[in-house]
Amino acid sequence: MDLTPLVDWFDFGTKPLVIAGPCSAESEEQVLATAKELEKNNQVSVFRAGAWKPRTRPYAFEGHGEPALKWLALVKKETRFLVTTEVANAEHTELALKNGIDILWIGARTTVSPFAVQEIADVLKGVDIPVLIKNPINADLALWLGALERLHGAGIKKLGAIHRGFSTAEKSKWRNNPMWSIPIELKRRLPNLPIICDPSHITGNRNLVGEVCQKSMDIGMDGLMVETHLTPDQAWSDASQQVTPDMLKNIISSLHLRTQDGGTADFEVRLSGLRRQIDAIDKEILESLKMRMEIVKEIGIEKKNNNITPLQLSRMDSLMKERVQLGKSYGLKEKYIEELYNLIHTESVKVQTQIMNDFENDV
Ligand code: PEP
Ligand code: MN
């Protein structure tokens, strides 16, 4: 995908890009007062507020719609901020363009719907506006990529992703489980795509927002979108996760920012030495896996000759227990060893099944 780098979208000034503002635009006064307070924080360059709110139940506040866009236009006029809002269909998109919104975002509930995303993409054909796409509610990378492709197909080059976590059935401390491996895989597939973290919807809890901001910076994300409210407990939506402008200032100023490149020469020398060690260890791991596989094949032939199934549950069970124990004694996490041996063992069973089938085909 040919994409415009984030630094060329606007003169955002500071890094990381910080987008802040209330979950919902509640009134003209609230929007303007919040923007003026946030303007004192030089780290914030984009003001957010939802004009249309996708609510779970129909009786909740669903946003003021177009009047809220006019309040955002006022923020643009009266402060140094760029403004952004969520669009969920063609009509929202047309209205946002008409009212001069600088950046659009597509919400998690919209990303799951290819028809809705396409409808938005069609309105944006030939328009030069940045679009940020939140991950879909469910942990489906393909759906996220699909939405990005639809916007890119419409000619949008200023494209970014927002990681806001995934809804899962399991109870956890998160409102939406971050599942960091998914945005990391997205970055691996589309290295030029800016990714912004939304710690508010991940945590659902203002006290956890700081730690998620730090984690996202540690894995090299490009920005943050933090829901910020003057009186969070009185917010009309997402009250428990919104921070005050003061809290936001503290969170941002206590971030420990690390860079991916550009350390001192001394550091580069140590890093390349350590990496050479890793390269050598990886070679040994792969050689061991090759030797293991050769033995697996020999066992497969023995099993075939003795009419035994490739998968022997009792063996799998004892192997897993022993390996996890051994791993633990080396200080490795149980879940890590379990996942690793699941992969190794599944592949062994596959190879042995292949050996059985070859035998049957021969007969
Ligand atoms: C929001 O940003 O207020 C919002 C509705 O987010 P999401 O689409 O991530 O739920
Ligand atoms: Mn919200």
Side-chain angles (χ1 to χ4, degrees):
M1 253 187 216
D2 58 324
L3 296 172
T4 309
L6 191 57
V7 287
D8 297 333
W9 291 12
F10 298 102
D11 182 16
F12 290 129
T14 55
K15 268 177 88 180
L17 166 66
V18 179
I19 304 171
C23 175
S24 307
E26 297 168 9
S27 66
E28 180 178 319
E29 297 68 43
Q30 174 242 14
V31 167
L32 278 173
T34 316
K36 295 223 161 122
E37 188 58 33
L38 279 170
E39 199 185 10
K40 297 178 190 156
N41 183 345
N42 287 332
Q43 296 282 345
V44 183
S45 31
V46 182
F47 182 79
R48 66 149 279 157
W52 293 277
K53 299 308 301 175
R55 305 305 296 277
T56 307
R57 306 290 296 275
Y59 322 108
F61 170 63
E62 292 187 310
H64 289 288
E66 195 177 7
L69 301 181
K70 310 253 178 249
W71 307 335
L72 284 172
L74 272 179
V75 168
K76 222 176 124 164
K77 209 163 118 209
E78 297 193 11
T79 69
R80 62 178 166 77
F81 285 139
L82 295 160
V83 293
T84 182
T85 201
E86 172 176 349
V87 291
N89 59 33
E91 191 200 351
H92 295 170
T93 313
E94 277 155 8
L95 288 171
L97 293 178
K98 188 179 112 192
N99 286 281
I101 302 298
D102 301 293
I103 301 173
L104 306 179
W105 92 74
I106 295 183
R109 290 161 193 79
T110 307
T111 309
V112 291
S113 166
F115 288 137
V117 174
Q118 191 58 52
E119 182 179 312
I120 295 169
D122 290 344
V123 173
L124 293 177
K125 270 197 191 116
V127 182
D128 179 22
I129 188 166
V131 182
L132 303 171
I133 304 189
K134 289 204 176 195
N135 63 256
I137 297 262
N138 52 321
D140 186 343
L141 177 60
L143 211 43
W144 203 0
L145 281 166
L148 289 159
E149 285 160 0
R150 284 176 198 278
L151 270 295
H152 190 255
I156 299 293
K157 299 279 160 55
K158 293 171 186 158
L159 204 51
I162 301 179
H163 170 228
R164 50 80 79 200
F166 303 88
S167 170
T168 56
E170 296 148 36
K171 270 239 152 294
S172 79
K173 71 169 179 176
W174 309 114
R175 176 176 179 197
N176 291 291
N177 193 321
M179 298 184 177
W180 296 101
S181 60
I182 297 179
I184 290 172
E185 177 60 15
L186 178 67
K187 191 75 179 172
R188 200 184 64 76
R189 304 252 196 119
L190 299 174
N192 303 329
L193 180 78
I195 305 188
I196 287 159
C197 181
D198 169 349
S200 311
H201 291 87
I202 289 177
T203 61
N205 173 352
R206 70 179 68 99
N207 298 319
L208 301 177
V209 166
E211 71 177 73
V212 170
C213 287
Q214 182 60 58
K215 168 83 186 180
S216 68
M217 293 298 102
D218 291 347
I219 62 167
M221 286 196 180
D222 305 274
L224 299 163
M225 180 193 258
V226 186
E227 286 188 342
T228 313
H229 197 282
L230 292 178
T231 49
D233 286 326
Q234 269 107 55
W236 295 10
S237 57
D238 289 348
S240 56
Q241 71 196 31
Q242 303 206 54
V243 297
T244 62
D246 273 350
M247 283 177 82
L248 178 72
K249 206 167 173 37
N250 280 334
I251 289 169
I252 305 292
S253 58
S254 36
L255 284 178
H256 184 161
L257 300 176
R258 303 166 173 99
T259 49
Q260 281 204 22
D261 306 297
T264 62
D266 193 32
F267 158 79
E268 292 297 339
V269 169
R270 282 199 309 277
L271 186 68
S272 65
L274 291 169
R275 285 194 171 145
R276 273 198 303 278
Q277 290 181 41
I278 293 265
D279 292 347
I281 292 172
D282 279 349
K283 187 161 177 286
E284 281 175 19
I285 292 177
L286 290 171
E287 279 167 2
S288 298
L289 283 174
K290 170 180 171 278
M291 287 190 313
R292 189 183 196 283
M293 191 52 87
E294 277 159 11
I295 299 172
V296 162
K297 285 180 185 160
E298 268 183 54
I299 297 179
I301 294 168
E302 291 291 338
K303 283 184 181 168
K304 173 184 77 178
N305 292 339
N306 290 281
N307 229 2
I308 309 260
T309 56
L311 176 65
Q312 290 174 285
L313 284 174
S314 58
R315 165 68 179 156
M316 182 179 171
D317 204 41
S318 62
L319 179 146
M320 195 63 97
K321 277 195 189 120
E322 281 165 25
R323 301 300 183 269
V324 166
Q325 259 334 97
L326 187 60
K328 266 168 114 177
S329 74
Y330 295 153
L332 297 167
K333 279 193 196 139
E334 186 168 332
K335 184 135 178 20
Y336 174 45
I337 302 300
E338 244 174 48
E339 283 177 6
L340 183 64
Y341 270 92
N342 251 326
L343 273 179
I344 292 176
H345 190 260
T346 307
E347 183 63 15
S348 304
V349 172
K350 251 193 229 160
V351 167
Q352 291 186 352
T353 309
Q354 185 64 44
I355 290 172
M356 298 280 160
N357 291 343
D358 288 351
F359 170 70
E360 272 155 23
N361 293 342
D362 287 350
V363 178

